[in-house]
Amino acid sequence: MFTWRRCLLVTAVTMLLGTSVTNAQNTGRIEGVAVSSSGVPVGDAEIRIVGLARLVDADDQGAFVFEDVPAGDYIVAVRSAQWGQGYVRAAVIAGGSTTITARILHHVHLGEVIVTAGPVAHLRHDAVLPMDVVGIEDMLSAGGVSLGEVVGDRPGVSSTYFGPGASRPLIRGLGGNRVTVMQQGIAIADVSDYSPDHAVSVEPLTSDRIEIIRGPGTLLYGSSAMGGVLNVLDGRVPNELPTQSITGSVTVRGGSAARERTGAVNLQGAGGNHIAWHVSGLRRQTNDFSIPGFAEVHEDDEHDEEEEHEEEHEHDEEEEEAVAGVLENSAVLTGSASIGASFIGSNGYIGAAYTYYDSRYGVPGHAHGEHHEEEEEHEEEEHEHEEEEESGTEVDMIQKSFDIEGSWRFKSTIIRGLRVRFGASNYTHDEIEGDHVGVTFDNEQIEGRLELDHSITAHNHGVIGIQVKNRDLSMIGEEAFIPETATDKLAVFALERFEIGSVILETGARYEMANLTPASDARDREFSGASLSAGVNYGPTDQWSLALSAARSVKIPDASELYSNGPHVATRSFEIGDENLESETALSLDISMHVHFPRVQATFSVFDNRFKDFIYLRNTAEVEDGFAVFYVSQSDATFRGFETELDVELFSGDNRHVWARLWSDRTRAELSDGTPLPRIPPFRFGGGLRFVDGQLEVKASFTNAAAQDRIPRYEHETEGYTALDASVSWTFVAAQTAHAVTLSGGNLTDAEIRRHTSFLKDLAPLPGRDIRLSYQFIF
């Protein structure tokens, strides 16, 4: 057994020992100029050395300089609120000076996106696994009010969509406890991994960027990252000293589909030479969302003509009672606030943050009383039951979290630095049916990571670390179907990256142990497992690279899979767990190709994941309490598919640019006997055009999803759809401040869109036409 006191003691001792390393620090200098795509100096640019917590502003001529930079290879990022952003490599030699030109582009090419979800910052085309980044501009134009809808149309990513208020990302058809959602490298401590009607306690509009790993992230982030990782970076714990006493942004947004009213503020600044602080907050309120037609669709089974006629008559009566054009019980009210501060020194930083998140949202098409009472129950009970159905169900959730984060660079060429992350969270939500609480979820979670950076050779950068996690989950109420369970995990891991000429090698290993202790007659379970990975990225020129990655990953069963026993009303199922489950293992193969010419960028990825003892819910012909009975079962399974993106600059002249984009993805998943797995996303493809003329930007895009007819027994087919989106943005600078006004439209054709990946696909379509206006003030 392990304790947090021991972990914190080890952290403190290691940091103290690190400060005693006395090897001489070899440093150099970086100087350069920030320019626009046409070569004009950019005076409002902000330049940072990624991973080094160093930040400076360019002068009026775009010039900048970094002194006393430790020798090594770096990525320098430059950003301008008016002109865009860019990235450039810089190699620092001890005692020397490196001169660079940081070119700012309106359109950041696919090969130039920085990914920092792992311990080593690198460009996207240098990765061994497919990765993606969602920036604040994309979040603003996406229009969704939940994380799943903000990222759900990226290649390889979809969402569970349990109404506008609750939507969790899926990666390559996998979700729940196979996809880890993190903030600043620590898993969010909500219960969205236990059920799709539980919201993700992350607010995209107060974040800087979202980084996505498509593929197993098990080595660094644990068995719950077998399908992939989303890391939300919001700067709640500052890791660099701002150049001004106060900077930030204020964002407001309104939408027509639900009369959305959203306001967000992000502030950061410096208090003296060593103190950095951060404050952010958001409030969002919506009405019920508008939809095309009626919310519910009816799937007809085989009937004789008389039965069909009677059913059509019943459906007509139901539609008369339903309200057309409105997704009832879909309103959302969300508030969040965060405050953090750090001490920034010449060799690192240490800081802390407190975050409060509060959301109340309706669950459309769903009431906890929906399972029918037995016919012999008296009429009064049936009347009360009907009233509960009409009132619907709301989820009222609150989360309070405390984070500590620090990094220290040692004066050594071998032991390069130490990183520590710690998070403690108290989460609770009530599922409210009418005027009473049906069930209450409580989740208390503590997680910590300690990572030691090192370089064995001049071509190597690696990390070894330890991760500990404690989770106490309880359900209280008449509809609780999981016993109170304590889960303790301990893991050690190592990841090594070698860059030798045009070849990048990456290899790693992780060993994880877990104890699950239920407060019931069910037996305690202990698990352990080893995960391994190896990958190579070959880039003989700057124009293309080829990556290959193979991994063996282990997923440890969670409390719901082991101990469930009762009606899970959200998914309309009676779930029966299996306390004798074994760990799930997967052998994964990813092949990716990146092409990044100046005017053509493309990426193509194929994957093949073969699972042994895949854990899933097996549907049966049994019925309990009016619900279909599902047994948690294990079987071998295969997930395979592809993602592709193509970005082409069609025209470039002066400040005018035109780009075209095409993308597609597909996932095919089945059990070893050939039975398709449920709720797998269909084949999708999309595209768009983007025009930039100085401060004006115009975008139009479409997404087409094919019908999903490859389904298992008991699941209904889902029709395909085409969604059309567009936006117009104008950005201007006045008095050292930037202003961005965006008019955007989602689902402009008011198409009926139903996600096959949603349990509610026949009860809750996506919102109809939504016209949004946003304004962002950056200072």
Side-chain angles (χ1 to χ4, degrees):
M1 295 296 291
F2 58 89
T3 68
W4 280 104
R5 290 180 179 176
R6 291 178 183 173
C7 178
L8 292 176
L9 178 60
V10 170
T11 302
V13 170
T14 306
M15 292 187 74
L16 288 174
L17 289 175
T19 61
S20 66
V21 180
T22 59
N23 293 35
Q25 178 77 65
N26 297 318
T27 64
R29 186 172 186 264
I30 297 177
E31 61 180 342
V33 61
V35 300
S36 68
S37 57
S38 58
V40 177
V42 176
D44 71 334
E46 183 180 72
I47 303 95
R48 62 170 42 86
I49 303 177
V50 178
L52 206 58
R54 299 286 295 274
L55 175 69
V56 298
D57 287 336
D59 64 19
D60 293 340
Q61 301 303 313
F64 60 88
V65 62
F66 291 96
E67 302 283 359
D68 299 323
V69 180
D73 295 328
Y74 298 97
I75 297 171
V76 178
V78 55
R79 182 180 180 87
S80 164
Q82 180 180 10
W83 296 104
Q85 54 189 338
Y87 309 94
V88 62
R89 299 178 186 272
V92 178
I93 302 173
S97 180
T98 302
T99 302
I100 60 175
T101 298
R103 190 172 298 276
I104 299 174
L105 304 174
H106 277 291
H107 175 68
V108 178
H109 297 313
L110 295 177
E112 296 177 324
V113 175
I114 292 176
V115 177
T116 57
V120 182
H122 49 266
L123 301 181
R124 180 178 175 182
H125 61 264
D126 288 339
V128 298
L129 275 176
M131 299 183 179
D132 201 356
V133 176
V134 182
I136 185 62
E137 298 85 359
D138 296 322
M139 299 180 211
L140 275 173
S141 60
V145 299
S146 59
L147 180 65
E149 294 313 294
V150 168
V151 302
D153 285 328
R154 312 294 291 196
V157 184
S158 52
S159 74
T160 57
Y161 189 71
F162 219 86
S167 184
R168 198 177 198 271
L170 302 170
I171 298 179
R172 295 175 168 179
L174 296 172
N177 59 13
R178 293 184 181 91
V179 171
T180 293
V181 180
M182 305 186 300
Q183 277 187 303
Q184 297 293 130
I186 289 289
I188 58 171
D190 58 22
V191 293
S192 62
D193 55 335
Y194 274 83
S195 179
D197 65 320
H198 302 160
V200 182
S201 58
V202 168
E203 182 43 61
L205 282 189
T206 57
S207 305
D208 299 322
R209 57 198 275 123
I210 302 169
E211 299 179 342
I212 304 169
I213 301 177
R214 300 195 305 262
T218 311
L219 288 184
L220 289 176
Y221 304 114
S223 67
S224 296
M226 177 180 283
V229 174
L230 287 92
N231 191 19
V232 180
L233 303 175
D234 58 7
R236 62 174 64 182
V237 179
N239 60 13
E240 56 193 13
L241 190 68
T243 58
Q244 302 177 40
S245 58
I246 181 170
T247 63
S249 65
V250 177
T251 304
V252 293
R253 187 176 73 182
S256 64
R259 295 188 61 193
E260 177 192 354
R261 292 85 75 194
T262 298
V265 60
N266 255 311
L267 302 176
Q268 50 273 333
N273 295 325
H274 295 287
I275 302 298
W277 57 268
H278 171 89
V279 174
S280 64
L282 174 137
R283 180 174 174 82
R284 174 186 293 113
Q285 185 171 5
T286 77
N287 296 351
D288 287 344
F289 283 73
S290 63
I291 56 173
F294 291 94
E296 185 173 358
V297 295
H298 301 278
E299 298 290 342
D300 294 329
D301 297 323
E302 295 182 1
H303 304 292
D304 58 35
E305 291 184 1
E306 181 177 350
E307 288 175 330
E308 288 180 357
H309 178 73
E310 291 177 357
E311 187 174 274
E312 287 177 2
H313 179 68
E314 292 175 358
H315 291 175
D316 289 340
E317 290 182 347
E318 290 176 6
E319 288 189 351
E320 288 179 2
E321 295 178 0
V323 179
V326 177
L327 185 60
E328 297 182 285
N329 196 37
S330 61
V332 178
L333 177 62
T334 299
S336 67
S338 181
I339 182 171
S342 297
F343 175 85
I344 311 290
S346 59
N347 291 315
Y349 72 95
I350 184 72
Y354 173 80
T355 304
Y356 178 86
Y357 186 90
D358 185 356
S359 185
R360 183 169 181 138
Y361 59 92
V363 182
H366 166 61
H368 275 274
E370 193 166 289
H371 54 290
H372 300 291
E373 306 292 342
E374 296 181 2
E375 293 182 0
E376 64 267 19
E377 291 183 335
H378 52 74
E379 294 181 359
E380 181 179 353
E381 289 179 331
E382 289 182 350
H383 179 68
E384 292 176 355
H385 168 69
E386 290 172 1
E387 287 183 343
E388 284 183 5
E389 281 192 359
E390 292 176 0
S391 63
T393 298
E394 288 186 316
V395 175
D396 189 3
M397 59 180 286
I398 294 176
Q399 184 179 37
K400 303 171 185 177
S401 57
F402 178 72
D403 297 276
I404 296 175
E405 183 180 315
S407 175
W408 189 265
R409 294 184 299 277
F410 298 156
K411 296 178 179 180
S412 170
T413 57
I414 298 178
I415 306 300
R416 302 291 296 272
L418 175 76
R419 284 192 302 272
V420 60
R421 297 184 179 98
F422 171 85
S425 175
N426 183 289
Y427 171 98
T428 185
H429 86 235
D430 295 327
E431 300 187 5
I432 304 169
E433 313 160 10
D435 59 355
H436 75 281
V437 176
V439 64
T440 296
F441 277 79
D442 282 316
N443 188 61
E444 294 186 2
Q445 186 165 310
I446 300 175
E447 181 179 354
R449 298 173 61 87
L450 181 67
E451 300 174 357
L452 193 66
D453 288 342
H454 60 269
S455 291
I456 301 173
T457 71
H459 304 288
N460 163 252
H461 191 138
V463 60
I464 58 174
I466 182 172
Q467 180 179 5
V468 287
K469 183 176 180 179
N470 171 265
R471 182 176 191 175
D472 288 323
L473 173 72
S474 65
M475 293 179 65
I476 303 169
E478 58 186 18
E479 294 171 1
F481 63 96
I482 304 173
E484 180 179 352
T485 305
T487 303
D488 294 306
K489 291 185 177 181
L490 171 65
V492 292
F493 57 87
L495 181 66
E496 300 295 333
R497 183 181 176 92
F498 298 88
E499 299 186 18
I500 306 171
S502 59
V503 177
I504 298 172
L505 299 174
E506 196 170 276
T507 183
R510 179 187 183 93
Y511 185 75
E512 184 168 339
M513 299 175 288
N515 285 322
L516 289 91
T517 307
S520 67
D521 294 334
R523 68 187 182 99
D524 298 355
R525 290 300 309 274
E526 294 184 0
F527 297 92
S528 63
S531 298
L532 305 169
S533 76
V536 59
N537 182 297
Y538 174 63
T541 72
D542 292 335
Q543 284 72 48
W544 69 276
S545 62
L546 180 68
L548 171 67
S549 177
R552 178 192 186 271
S553 306
V554 175
K555 187 190 92 68
I556 292 171
D558 68 13
S560 65
E561 295 166 335
L562 292 168
Y563 305 124
S564 292
N565 189 9
H568 188 179
V569 187
T571 57
R572 293 164 172 75
S573 59
F574 193 100
E575 297 180 10
I576 300 175
D578 183 357
E579 64 181 31
N580 297 311
L581 292 175
E582 298 298 328
S583 294
E584 172 185 301
T585 59
L587 297 177
S588 305
L589 179 67
D590 276 88
I591 302 175
S592 300
M593 183 174 183
H594 299 275
V595 177
H596 32 90
F597 291 94
R599 299 183 64 167
V600 177
Q601 296 81 43
T603 180
F604 179 74
S605 304
V606 294
F607 63 92
D608 187 292
N609 300 331
R610 299 173 184 265
F611 292 84
K612 183 178 184 298
D613 296 327
F614 181 79
I615 300 172
Y616 71 105
L617 286 171
R618 178 172 56 86
N619 201 344
T620 70
E622 303 173 32
V623 176
E624 184 78 23
D625 289 348
F627 290 130
V629 175
F630 287 77
Y631 287 92
V632 178
S633 304
Q634 290 189 286
S635 174
D636 294 349
T638 302
F639 284 67
R640 58 172 64 95
F642 69 86
E643 303 107 16
T644 183
E645 294 177 86
L646 173 65
D647 211 352
V648 180
E649 187 173 22
L650 302 177
F651 172 80
S652 177
D654 296 329
N655 288 326
R656 295 185 178 92
H657 304 270
V658 178
W659 293 274
R661 180 174 184 262
L662 294 172
W663 66 272
S664 65
D665 63 8
R666 182 171 186 176
T667 298
R668 181 185 176 99
E670 60 190 18
L671 297 176
S672 57
D673 62 1
T675 301
L677 283 163
R679 292 174 299 282
I680 298 301
F683 168 72
R684 302 182 302 172
F685 71 92
L689 292 172
R690 183 168 181 246
F691 169 73
V692 171
D693 185 357
Q695 299 166 329
L696 178 69
E697 178 183 77
V698 181
K699 293 192 295 186
S701 63
F702 74 92
T703 299
N704 176 272
Q708 180 59 287
D709 55 6
R710 192 173 186 276
I711 55 176
R713 191 181 179 188
Y714 308 115
E715 189 177 54
H716 300 303
E717 295 182 9
T718 305
E719 294 184 1
Y721 64 84
T722 299
L724 178 64
D725 304 322
S727 67
V728 178
S729 300
W730 182 44
T731 303
F732 63 96
V733 174
Q736 303 298 316
T737 62
H739 308 258
V741 180
T742 303
L743 178 65
S744 59
N747 191 12
L748 289 174
T749 61
D750 206 30
E752 183 174 317
I753 300 174
R754 298 180 185 271
R755 291 199 190 275
H756 184 76
T757 53
S758 169
F759 277 94
L760 295 185
K761 71 183 184 70
D762 296 330
L763 301 173
L766 270 67
R769 183 183 298 110
D770 187 15
I771 306 300
R772 302 178 296 271
L773 180 64
S774 66
Y775 166 70
Q776 189 173 47
F777 170 55
I778 304 170
F779 58 94

